[in-house]
């Protein structure tokens, strides 16, 4: 009897100990170090997280955003009910989120331990602190007649404007220290300004509800603002580089001066928390009015791209315990069709210094900084990303970030250096590319591929993580070239074209289609015995048929270029259902081929390529990049 009683007690002790151990494993170790009576802001991440399995490749931007918004919101509203009842019954202040299924609350360690025992709770993490990326201000002023400042000319923006693309019909977003919306250089581009009156609903959100613990005194803008205000100046400067008109010397400062902007304040005088950033990500997915709630957001108002010139170092509370929560918020907004541009950081020149969220994430388009000589800035953070053990290559791309002139909230102008200044160039470039090809709206992967593949590909005499060539961990794919990105994406750049009503057959064994890059290199596309495409550098000979200063347009859906492999098998190169290039084996040359050649076909001009239709009658531009890679880009049909 004594032994039985002892066994039961031991069993109960082990069960309780095991449960306590399980509950403890749910809690961020930093929270476990809190004094018993300390009140702390923390984030409760629920076990149930939405799965976006219904996303389709062919969805438009608005369709993607609507699906993601409704799916995430439905899961959060249904799964949070019991936890919210618990918090309400105990008078615990909280804020609910849906872009990641989580709730911010405030309480002591006893509350945290109790909530960790709930079956619907996955983990409880610290509400980590984030900071803007501080740049170096030199306040240099441009003088002289109106002309684009050097950084705009460097990336080719004025040439894009001259082609008629200024970012029109595109909306960019910024989350930063706020924005001086009435500054003349950016006021006319604010989506909430119609030229006469302002309407800030759906165009502005303030995620700053109180002062940050690291700051003293009263915020100069206040809190919970119904209109844009910048409590630091950093945000206004970045927006000037994205969409600004002219500075006080009448010189152009903005990459996409025809785009509209909306904004969210996620930092209080340069400092934010995990939840202020999540709140802004969430608002961008489906903006709502000042007095509204996330449940009445409008996903059609989501911007095409957002700029993020901030980071969260480990010293400010970001670590492996909360990386996943921030990354989930970012990825869900990206899945909705919004490009996420993030400054790489100012912790160079050492390797492995791209080390802070959100620049470290696979889903962020991270940007390093270059100077006027196209050298990487000494301060620009380098990859690879080691803080999460991924060894991920970063940055993705680089852009001008040294002595960048832009506007401040008081209407003055000055120059700052930092990757915070480089990122806005890329956000503006996204706007220019979409304004040149509206079919790219919402197609995040394709936009990023275009910007990477058209960059000016630079390498360095030093390497990081033994990665040389392109891409690398210093420049990424290279320095941004928005003119090249627009030219390869824009149907009008492919004109004129030779129209073919059917397949184009090349009879020669291992015959191919030769493209010309912007650097006048020739690449020959052939097919292998198993249908695999082979792309190789090529020297033009007399045995080619030259398509002079024209593109080739194959009008019929599903038709393409018929190539013969070394073993004589025939393959048709055309477009698959998801817009990818594909080869399909065919038994014989099409009897209805519109054009047949016994030699290679050479498209001699770098601005020209191939226009194909998929089986659903959608058109794609096919061209070669300066890295010798084929790319297919959705477009309107001629």
């Amino acid at each position: 009897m004594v032994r039985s009683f002892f066994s039961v007690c031991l069993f109960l002790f082990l069960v309780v100990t095991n449960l306590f151990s399980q509950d403890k494993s749910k809690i961020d170790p930093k929270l476990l170090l809190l004094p018993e009576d300390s009140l702390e802001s923390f984030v409760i991440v629920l076990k149930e997280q939405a799965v976006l399995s219904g996303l389709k490749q062919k969805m438009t931007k608005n369709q993607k955003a609507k699906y993601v918004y409704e799916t995430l919101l439905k899961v959060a509203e249904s799964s949070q009910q019991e936890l919210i009842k618990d918090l309400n019954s105990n008078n615990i202040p909280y804020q609910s989120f849906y872009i990641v299924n989580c709730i911010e609350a405030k309480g002591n360690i006893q509350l945290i331990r109790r909530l960790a025992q709930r079956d619907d709770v996955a983990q409880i993490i610290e509400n980590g602190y984030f900071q803007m990326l501080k740049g170096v201000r030199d306040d240099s002023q441009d003088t002289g007649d109106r002309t684009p400042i050097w950084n705009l000319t460097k990336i080719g923006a004025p040439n894009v404007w001259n082609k008629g693309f200024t970012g029109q019909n595109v909306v960019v977003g910024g989350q930063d220290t706020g924005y001086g919306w009435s500054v003349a250089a950016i006021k006319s581009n604010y989506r909430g300004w119609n030229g006469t009156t302002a309407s800030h609903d759906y165009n502005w959100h303030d995620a700053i509800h109180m002062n940050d613990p690291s700051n003293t005194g009263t915020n100069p803008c206040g809190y919970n603002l119904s209109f844009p205000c910048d409590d630091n100046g950093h945000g206004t400067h970045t927006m000037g580089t994205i969409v600004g008109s002219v500075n006080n010397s009448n010189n152009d400062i903005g990459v996409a001066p025809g785009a509209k902007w909306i904004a969210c304040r996620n930092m209080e005088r340069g400092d934010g928390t995990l939840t202020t950033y999540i709140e802004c990500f969430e608002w961008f997915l489906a903006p709502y009015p000042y007095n509204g709630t996330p449940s009445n957001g409008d996903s059609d108002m989501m911007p095409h791209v957002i700029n993020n010139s901030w980071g969260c170092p480990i010293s400010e509370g970001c670590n492996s315990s909360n990386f996943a929560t921030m990354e989930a918020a970012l990825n869900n907004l990206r899945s909705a069709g919004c490009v996420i541009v993030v400054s790489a950081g100012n912790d160079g020149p050492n390797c492995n210094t791209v080390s802070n969220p959100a620049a470290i994430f696979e889903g962020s388009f991270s940007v390093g900084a270059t100077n006027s000589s196209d050298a990487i800035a000494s301060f620009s953070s380098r990859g690879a990303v080691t803080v999460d053990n991924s060894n991920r290559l970063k940055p993705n791309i680089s852009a001008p970030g040294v002595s960048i002139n832009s506007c401040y909230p008081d209407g003055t102008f000055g120059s700052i250096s930092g990757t915070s200044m480089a990122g806005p160039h890329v956000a503006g470039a996204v706007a220019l590319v979409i304004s040149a090809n509206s079919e790219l709206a919402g197609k995040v992967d394709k936009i990023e591929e275009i910007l990477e593949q058209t960059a000016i590909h630079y390498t360095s005499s030093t390497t990081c993580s033994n990665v040389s060539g392109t891409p690398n961990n210093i420049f990424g794919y290279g320095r941004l070239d928005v003119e090249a990105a627009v030219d390869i994406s824009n149907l009008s750049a492919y004109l004129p074209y030779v129209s073919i009503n059917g397949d184009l057959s090349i009879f020669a064994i291992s015959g191919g289609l030769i493209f010309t890059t912007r650097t006048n290199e020739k690449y020959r596309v052939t097919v292998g015995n198993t249908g695999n495409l082979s792309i190789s550098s090529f020297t033009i000979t007399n045995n080619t048929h030259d398509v002079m200063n024209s593109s080739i347009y194959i009008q019929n859906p599903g038709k393409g270029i018929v190539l013969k492999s070394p073993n004589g098998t025939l393959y048709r190169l055309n477009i698959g259902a998801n817009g990818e290039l594909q080869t399909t084996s065919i038994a014989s040359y099409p009897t209805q081929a519109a054009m047949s050649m016994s030699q290679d076909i050479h498209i001699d001009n770098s601005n020209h390529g191939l226009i194909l239709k998929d089986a659903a009658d959608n058109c794609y531009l096919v061209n070669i990049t300066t890295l010798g890679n084929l790319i297919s880009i959705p477009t309107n049909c001629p």
Side-chain angles (χ1 to χ4, degrees):
M1 185 71 177
V2 172
R3 179 177 295 178
S4 175
F5 176 76
F6 175 78
S7 297
V8 169
C9 289
L10 177 62
F11 172 76
L12 291 174
F13 172 78
L14 292 174
V15 168
V16 171
T17 301
N18 184 52
L19 287 174
F20 177 76
S21 177
Q22 290 177 349
D23 296 339
K24 185 177 179 181
S25 69
K26 292 182 179 182
I27 302 172
D28 189 329
K30 284 192 172 184
L31 294 175
L32 292 171
L33 298 175
L34 291 174
E36 290 292 318
D37 58 350
S38 173
L39 293 178
E40 184 74 14
S41 172
F42 56 88
V43 178
I44 310 162
V45 182
L46 281 82
K47 283 184 180 177
E48 185 176 0
Q49 296 290 326
V51 178
L52 302 175
S53 57
L55 277 172
K56 306 298 181 186
Q57 183 78 18
K58 293 293 185 180
M59 283 180 170
T60 65
K61 169 183 171 288
N62 285 355
Q63 288 170 338
K64 283 183 180 180
K66 184 177 182 356
Y67 167 77
V68 171
Y69 168 59
E70 292 180 348
T71 302
L72 296 176
L73 187 64
K74 181 179 179 181
V75 168
E77 288 182 338
S78 63
S79 62
Q80 291 180 11
Q81 290 181 11
E82 293 303 315
L83 178 54
I84 287 175
K85 285 181 182 178
D86 184 334
L87 296 172
N88 282 331
S89 64
N90 288 281
N91 296 315
I92 305 300
Y94 71 90
Q95 183 176 1
S96 169
F97 298 96
Y98 72 83
I99 196 165
V100 181
N101 192 10
C102 64
I103 295 175
E104 179 201 6
K106 191 169 186 178
N108 58 24
I109 188 61
Q110 290 89 349
L111 173 65
I112 292 171
R113 289 191 182 115
R114 183 179 71 77
L115 293 175
Q117 296 174 22
R118 294 181 57 95
D119 290 338
D120 52 358
V121 172
Q123 60 178 156
I124 300 177
I125 59 178
E126 182 186 29
N127 191 11
Y129 292 97
F130 289 65
Q131 291 183 323
M132 71 177 187
L133 299 178
K134 296 178 175 66
V136 179
R137 179 170 174 172
D138 60 36
D139 288 322
S140 60
Q141 300 289 331
D142 290 334
T143 58
D145 296 332
R146 178 169 180 171
T147 183
I149 53 181
W150 72 268
N151 44 302
L152 303 185
T153 303
K154 177 67 71 173
I155 65 172
N159 293 337
V160 175
W161 307 338
N162 291 337
K163 294 172 184 180
F165 309 115
T166 61
Q168 64 270 35
N169 304 315
V170 179
V171 178
V172 301
Q175 55 172 332
D176 212 289
T177 60
Y179 299 84
W181 80 273
S182 59
V183 172
I186 61 173
K187 182 176 182 177
S188 62
N189 299 83
Y190 177 48
R191 193 172 68 180
W193 175 250
N194 65 11
T196 305
T197 58
S199 176
H200 304 297
D201 287 345
Y202 303 98
N203 301 310
W204 162 258
H205 182 72
D206 191 5
I208 302 304
H209 310 300
M210 63 185 71
N211 72 295
D212 187 274
S214 61
N215 294 323
T216 59
T218 303
N219 187 287
C221 288
Y223 311 101
N224 301 310
L225 301 175
S226 61
F227 60 90
C229 181
D230 188 345
D231 61 30
N232 175 276
H234 188 266
T236 304
H237 197 278
T238 62
M239 191 58 71
T241 300
I242 303 174
V243 302
S245 54
V246 295
N247 63 12
N248 55 349
S249 296
N250 207 35
N251 296 330
D252 298 290
I253 61 170
V255 175
K260 297 294 185 182
W261 65 271
I262 63 174
C264 184
R265 183 169 64 151
N266 61 10
M267 288 179 283
E268 199 267 325
R269 288 174 281 180
D271 296 292
T273 66
L274 176 64
T275 50
T276 62
Y277 288 84
I278 290 177
E279 184 172 335
C280 283
F281 278 126
E282 185 170 282
W283 180 82
F284 280 124
L285 174 55
Y288 48 89
Y290 172 67
N291 288 319
T293 64
S295 61
N296 57 22
D298 185 351
S299 58
D300 285 354
M301 303 291 275
M302 182 188 79
H304 296 82
V305 56
I306 63 169
N307 181 71
N308 304 270
S309 293
W310 47 269
C312 182
I314 292 176
S315 62
E316 293 296 325
C318 282
N319 52 61
S320 57
S321 71
N322 52 33
F323 282 171
T325 305
M326 171 60 72
E327 187 172 17
L330 184 150
N331 284 342
N332 286 336
L333 180 60
R334 187 182 190 277
S335 295
C338 184
V339 181
I340 315 294
V341 176
V342 180
S343 297
N346 301 331
D347 297 319
N350 291 333
C351 299
N352 312 128
T353 47
V354 179
S355 56
N356 300 323
I360 64 173
F361 299 138
E362 181 70 29
S364 64
F365 200 62
S366 306
V367 187
T370 54
N371 63 20
S372 59
S373 300
D374 282 334
I376 199 71
S378 61
F379 57 76
S380 187
S381 291
R382 275 79 157 162
V385 177
T386 56
V387 69
D388 61 358
N389 299 314
S390 68
N391 209 40
R392 184 178 300 116
L393 189 143
K394 287 286 181 177
N396 297 81
I397 200 170
S398 298
V402 177
S403 295
I404 304 302
N405 190 266
S406 189
C407 52
Y408 294 118
D410 61 1
T412 62
F413 295 83
S415 296
I416 310 180
S417 297
T419 57
S420 283
M421 287 59 252
H425 288 79
V426 176
V430 172
L432 293 182
V433 168
I434 296 174
S435 70
N437 183 347
S438 61
E439 289 297 308
L440 287 169
K443 295 177 174 61
V444 178
D445 286 336
K446 186 59 63 177
I447 291 170
E448 292 178 350
E449 181 186 8
I450 290 167
L451 294 176
E452 289 172 343
Q453 291 292 321
T454 57
I456 305 296
H457 307 295
Y458 288 113
T459 59
S460 174
S461 57
T462 60
T463 63
C464 287
S465 299
N466 295 316
V467 177
S468 57
T470 301
N472 56 70
N473 283 304
I474 297 175
F475 290 92
Y477 277 84
R479 196 258 298 146
L480 173 69
D481 184 348
V482 70
E483 183 180 12
V486 164
D487 283 348
I488 206 169
S489 310
N490 174 28
L491 178 63
S492 63
Y494 286 65
L495 298 174
Y497 44 77
V498 176
S499 295
I500 300 175
N501 189 24
D503 290 296
L504 190 163
S505 297
I506 298 176
F507 289 139
I509 290 180
S510 298
L513 183 62
I514 302 167
F515 292 89
T516 304
T517 70
R518 291 177 72 88
T519 52
N520 205 37
E521 296 171 294
K522 314 294 181 182
Y523 285 93
R524 186 170 180 251
V525 180
T526 58
V527 68
N529 291 333
T530 60
N532 57 298
L533 287 177
S534 177
I535 304 171
S536 57
S537 182
F538 190 78
T539 301
I540 297 298
T541 66
N542 292 329
N543 191 31
T544 62
H545 176 83
D546 294 331
V547 179
M548 304 295 292
N549 201 35
S550 297
S551 299
I552 298 173
Y553 172 35
I554 298 179
Q555 300 178 10
N556 296 62
K559 302 298 182 181
I561 308 295
V562 178
L563 301 169
K564 183 184 286 188
S565 72
N567 67 5
T569 306
L570 299 179
Y571 291 92
R572 177 185 285 121
L573 169 63
N574 60 11
I575 296 291
N578 291 319
E580 77 282 2
L581 284 165
Q582 65 178 17
T583 57
T584 307
S585 176
I586 58 176
S588 60
Y589 284 108
T591 57
Q592 301 299 318
M595 183 181 291
S596 301
M597 294 290 167
S598 59
Q599 60 205 124
D600 290 316
I601 296 175
H602 170 220
I603 299 174
D604 78 321
N605 189 301
S606 64
N607 277 342
H608 297 109
L610 180 65
I611 305 169
L612 296 174
K613 282 185 177 180
D614 66 12
D617 233 18
N618 301 301
C619 283
Y620 290 84
L621 305 174
V622 179
N623 215 325
I624 201 80
T625 72
T626 51
L627 286 177
N629 298 321
L630 281 177
I631 189 169
S632 63
I633 299 170
T635 188
N636 294 316
C637 291

